[in-house]
Amino acid sequence: MEIFTQVLICIIMLFFGSVIGSFLNVIAYRVPIKESIVKGRSHCTSCGKQILNRDLIPILSWIILGGKCRFCKSRISPRYMIVELISGLSFVGAYLALGLSTELIYAVILFPTLIILSLWDIDRQEIPYTCSIIIAVLGLISLITSIFIPDGAAWYEHLIGAAIIAVPFAILAFLGAMGGGDVQLMAAAGLLLGWSIVPAALIGILLGAIGGIIIKAVTKNNVICFGPYLAVGIAVGYLFGNDIINAYLGLMG
Ligand SMILES: [Zn+2]
């Protein structure tokens, strides 16, 4: 494909992903306080003034306004902009790794789900059941598809993926070392990723260990929320799991 077309698709993916990210912010803010996510315009949480249309551009508006409300100048958390940016970049990364493919369609559903469950876990130390269900449905669809179109993972590999990490995680959860939400997430993601859930889990555990040490050192806070680390692991596993496994098997000889 021509480089110009590639760049154009990347820009479209960045825009599309950041708009989705902006909607994820609305969900994470409004659902817990039982506000409608479709009705009602966005407003400043300090002065209550409605946000102007021209200030609703994902990523850019926050930067242009210097992270402050246009009216009352109170600080707007960079979290909104960061979520939009991560969402946008995850879509670009998915396109660059997968091209225009069926896997890309799964990715644009999987990645926003991973982002929302991460925000939820950060805010409430809980991974929402609904997010794991969405990922499990994607997994089930890819399992059924793989029976008829033998491409990528075989159908039984999806089943192996669902159990191989979730079972040891379930034992850890039983011992109180892990939350039930983490187990559900890894079972659902394993159903979608197949063998790639193994590198996904290892990356998640490694990042979780590093992140946990840093957070404990900086904030003296002992709250462990594992969801965001697992989410990053799952995203990397989804995009590059096969490459990681092949590289490892190559090293083993
Ligand atoms: Zn304001």
Side-chain angles (χ1 to χ4, degrees):
M1 205 185 295
E2 257 187 89
I3 187 79
F4 175 76
T5 323
Q6 290 266 24
V7 172
L8 189 68
I9 297 175
C10 283
I11 294 170
I12 294 169
M13 292 305 281
L14 181 68
F15 176 74
F16 183 49
S18 61
V19 170
I20 300 272
S22 164
F23 186 60
L24 298 178
N25 279 324
V26 172
I27 294 175
Y29 179 74
R30 292 192 187 176
V31 170
I33 55 171
K34 308 255 184 305
E35 255 185 60
S36 164
I37 51 168
V38 281
K39 272 184 281 176
R41 296 283 311 271
S42 292
H43 49 79
C44 169
T45 52
S46 259
C47 67
K49 279 224 171 70
Q50 229 176 54
I51 295 168
L52 304 179
N53 274 332
R54 63 187 151 119
D55 293 341
L56 283 172
I57 310 160
I59 307 168
L60 290 180
S61 289
W62 188 90
I63 297 171
I64 292 166
L65 291 171
K68 293 190 182 83
C69 169
R70 179 180 288 280
F71 305 103
C72 68
K73 305 287 173 208
S74 65
R75 190 174 162 276
I76 301 166
S77 168
R79 167 169 147 166
Y80 299 108
M81 189 271 285
I82 293 167
V83 168
E84 289 162 358
L85 191 63
I86 290 174
S87 183
L89 291 178
S90 76
F91 276 38
V92 174
Y95 165 67
L96 290 176
L98 305 168
L100 298 174
S101 59
T102 323
E103 285 76 24
L104 182 64
I105 299 171
Y106 286 101
V108 298
I109 302 170
L110 174 67
F111 289 1
T113 310
L114 292 173
I115 293 171
I116 196 80
L117 75 83
S118 300
L119 294 174
W120 209 275
D121 201 23
I122 290 167
D123 291 343
R124 326 199 150 64
Q125 287 73 56
E126 175 189 73
I127 294 175
Y129 189 56
T130 319
C131 291
S132 296
I133 294 287
I134 293 170
I135 298 171
V137 169
L138 290 179
L140 209 54
I141 296 170
S142 76
L143 186 155
I144 293 166
T145 323
S146 67
I147 296 173
F148 300 103
I149 309 159
D151 178 36
W155 65 271
Y156 59 88
E157 291 179 310
H158 290 279
L159 295 180
I160 294 170
I164 197 161
I165 297 299
V167 169
F169 268 37
I171 296 167
L172 288 174
F174 183 73
L175 299 172
M178 188 162 283
D182 301 317
V183 181
Q184 289 165 4
L185 173 62
M186 293 315 270
L191 193 60
L192 178 63
L193 270 66
W195 285 111
S196 293
I197 196 66
V198 176
L202 295 177
I203 292 167
I205 291 167
L206 185 68
L207 291 176
I210 298 169
I213 291 167
I214 294 173
I215 288 174
K216 199 178 175 186
V218 174
T219 64
K220 311 273 173 237
N221 193 341
N222 224 349
V223 174
I224 305 158
C225 77
F226 210 27
Y229 304 110
L230 292 177
V232 173
I234 292 166
V236 174
Y238 183 74
L239 296 182
F240 306 110
N242 285 329
D243 302 326
I244 297 170
I245 291 170
N246 289 334
Y248 177 76
L249 293 179
L251 282 178
M252 291 294 102

